[in-house]
Amino acid sequence: MPSHLSADRPAAQPPGRGSVDALITQARRLKGDVDAVRRDTPGDGSDPQERWQRALCDLALTQLDDLDAHLAQLREGPPPAPPAPETPAAAESAPPAPPGESLLSRVGSAEWNLLTDEASWSGELYQILGRDASAPPLTLDELPSLVLDEDRPRLTAMVTDCLVDAKPIDGEFHVVRPGGEVRTVHMMGEPVLDADGSTASMWAVLRDVSELRRSQREVSETRDSLQRQQHRAQTEHRLAVELQEAVLPPWRGSLRLPHQGPETLDLAARHLPSTGGSPIGGDWYDALELPGGETLLSVGGLTGQGVAAASGMATLLGAVRGMAMAGTAPGQLMSWLNQLLDSTVQPALGSAVCCRYRPATRTLVWAQAGHPAPLLFRGGTGRRLAAPEGVLLGATTGASYDQAEVTLDAGDLLLLHTDGLVPGQGGADASDRLLDLAPRFDAAHSAQDCVRMVMEEFGGTPRADDACVLVARVI
């Protein structure tokens, strides 16, 4: 590589796309030059020096092809890997090449004379095959003895096609070096014909490609692993969404509870999913008509994301509904919900607000567990309700939860929400942003209009977690 291409480049930073494009252009230009030299080299095999030059050109073209592929991968990311030859288990554990091993030490040549039954090997080929340099080179009949059993038919077929049908050799096989080390060898060769057209000898260039194939396998395995992880994440996300949709109330738009009587609540709610591909969380909202005409209102959230959080949310919401239907007061309900979460196999924390609305007296009895207090809007202004004591669910064994009670007036609007409704804001700051909507809420005609205003203000903002909002308007 020319020195000016790498000068002053920080080692820890990848090259820019422009630098990689320049390298690709230079590599392809060099490939064209080498190919021109190869075409100018006589192919009749009459001169051993010319055969060696032609073999080196073939090797250089193969190396430049590899370089071009690697540079393209650096620029574009891992491409679909070509099918790698079946690799024995022993090859997987073969030690890497020594750090100081040069490219030439991994390339050797050989020629087998069929007329004299003589063989000639380069010193590099002895190193590749792990043979003693003082030993005589192996004949073509002896060469398969170094090859793994499953690869011998492939080598035999390549050599036979070359000798009988004058076909060029271009293939790979695995050799076993002394001590059991397995190396992957790529062989390129051609027959040398005599005057009558019969095969007089065969020459070949053999290259140790073990490290290249190992790198390709690692890229392929990494890609496959990423694809499996992506598929698993997509499946889990779909399951979490389906579970959440099955558990949360199916009504859309406004709902009036209780169904009978003049003092009803106009209800609307919305679930806001996270953005940027984040998994579904464990937030919920709920409104349920209870025996005697009372109404349950609740919002909450469970820590975590994905199927585990969604299934935990379903468990908590089912418990809330069951206890509320049985007449459990909000404070006691929170205590038992804390006990339930504390006894689960998977430790988790949760927060919630639970309210019982009595339409006959327009009173709201509520409790909270580490959750933002409901917001009360009246006459164009809003305020946070004073929160009774209550710690996060699952944080303390045997925790007790206080209750608070407030009387509502006709036209009052109650807003319950989970953390994350106002992205980037939490606690009092989020409540203040919502309280700023009081004048607009005062002009709204329904709870659904109020939810729509919240969505217009905050729905389009990116959020890391999902959130819920529930609006109850006293009629």
Side-chain angles (χ1 to χ4, degrees):
M1 181 186 299
S3 60
H4 71 276
L5 292 176
S6 58
D8 301 325
R9 178 182 295 164
Q13 297 181 359
R17 186 184 181 95
S19 299
V20 176
D21 288 338
L23 289 174
I24 291 175
T25 300
Q26 292 189 25
R28 291 176 179 174
R29 185 183 300 118
L30 179 59
K31 182 179 175 182
D33 294 340
V34 173
D35 190 44
V37 173
R38 184 186 185 281
R39 289 196 301 269
D40 292 339
T41 302
D44 56 8
S46 57
D47 187 342
Q49 183 64 29
E50 291 175 349
R51 293 202 304 272
W52 177 240
Q53 180 176 335
R54 187 181 179 89
L56 287 179
C57 288
D58 288 335
L59 174 63
L61 290 173
T62 302
Q63 296 280 3
L64 288 169
D65 282 337
D66 290 340
L67 177 61
D68 190 40
H70 288 150
L71 288 173
Q73 178 179 322
L74 179 61
R75 182 183 61 182
E76 305 295 345
E86 186 175 339
T87 305
E92 297 290 341
S93 59
E101 189 178 25
S102 67
L103 171 64
L104 291 180
S105 68
R106 299 196 299 273
V107 180
S109 63
E111 184 169 2
W112 290 273
N113 191 311
L114 303 182
L115 302 179
T116 63
D117 201 26
E118 295 178 341
S120 174
W121 284 11
S122 68
E124 291 81 10
L125 184 55
Y126 278 94
Q127 295 180 34
I128 291 173
L129 301 180
R131 300 278 295 174
D132 186 348
S134 63
L138 299 182
T139 66
L140 285 175
D141 292 334
E142 296 171 330
L143 185 63
S145 64
L146 302 180
V147 180
L148 287 180
D149 292 345
E150 53 265 40
D151 288 354
R152 288 177 186 172
R154 184 184 306 123
L155 175 61
T156 301
M158 288 192 299
V159 173
T160 301
D161 289 343
C162 181
L163 299 181
V164 176
D165 300 326
K167 293 182 178 180
I169 291 177
D170 188 354
E172 293 183 8
F173 49 86
H174 298 89
V175 299
V176 183
R177 300 178 59 171
E181 179 188 353
V182 177
R183 307 294 292 181
T184 304
V185 175
H186 182 259
M187 183 176 183
M188 297 177 62
E190 291 184 358
V192 179
L193 306 181
D194 59 14
D196 62 2
S198 60
T199 303
S201 63
M202 188 188 84
W203 63 263
V205 172
L206 294 93
R207 181 167 61 124
D208 186 343
V209 294
S210 303
E211 305 310 316
L212 175 61
R213 297 297 173 252
R214 179 182 289 107
S215 175
Q216 289 176 337
R217 288 195 303 274
E218 290 175 351
V219 170
S220 178
E221 290 169 358
T222 299
R223 185 187 66 251
D224 292 343
S225 176
L226 290 174
Q227 290 175 343
R228 288 193 298 271
Q229 292 177 12
Q230 184 180 27
H231 177 71
R232 183 167 56 249
Q234 290 172 344
T235 301
E236 291 181 354
H237 181 79
R238 185 181 69 253
L239 291 175
V241 170
E242 292 175 353
L243 179 58
Q244 186 182 66
E245 291 178 346
V247 173
L248 293 183
W251 42 276
R252 297 293 182 265
S254 290
L255 173 73
R256 297 208 172 187
L257 292 178
H259 295 294
Q260 302 296 328
E263 298 86 5
T264 61
L265 292 177
D266 174 25
L267 299 166
R270 186 70 177 267
H271 171 261
L272 292 81
S274 59
T275 57
S278 299
I280 289 291
D283 284 17
W284 83 78
Y285 67 86
D286 197 23
L288 181 66
E289 187 173 356
L290 302 175
E294 294 185 354
T295 298
L296 167 72
L297 303 176
S298 71
V299 297
L302 192 65
T303 56
Q305 293 178 321
V307 175
S311 60
M313 176 269 291
T315 300
L316 288 186
L317 184 52
V320 169
R321 290 171 174 172
M323 289 187 284
M325 290 292 289
T328 307
Q332 183 63 60
L333 187 151
M334 288 295 183
S335 297
W336 287 345
L337 209 60
N338 177 72
Q339 184 176 345
L340 173 64
L341 194 59
D342 187 51
S343 63
T344 56
V345 176
Q346 294 291 340
L349 295 175
S351 67
V353 165
C354 182
C355 311
R356 291 181 72 101
Y357 176 68
R358 300 168 184 161
T361 58
R362 290 200 179 110
T363 55
L364 186 80
V365 181
W366 67 286
Q368 64 85 28
H371 199 88
L375 305 181
L376 177 61
F377 296 87
R378 176 181 295 169
T381 63
R383 64 182 177 90
R384 285 184 294 271
L385 296 183
E389 292 293 328
V391 299
L392 284 170
L393 299 172
T396 304
T397 301
S400 60
Y401 295 83
D402 294 339
Q403 292 184 169
E405 183 174 321
V406 61
T407 301
L408 304 179
D409 295 336
D412 282 355
L413 187 140
L414 199 68
L415 187 149
L416 286 67
H417 68 94
T418 61
D419 284 330
L421 177 62
V422 183
Q425 304 289 335
D429 292 334
S431 296
D432 290 341
R433 294 283 304 278
L434 291 167
L435 290 174
D436 290 340
L437 298 177
R440 296 175 61 185
F441 286 167
D442 191 49
H445 295 91
S446 67
Q448 182 62 25
D449 287 343
C450 296
V451 169
R452 189 177 299 112
M453 293 173 186
V454 173
M455 294 300 300
E456 291 172 354
E457 190 72 22
F458 308 112
T461 307
R463 64 189 72 253
D465 298 305
D466 56 347
C468 293
V469 57
L470 172 64
V471 172
R473 183 167 167 265
V474 181
I475 297 177

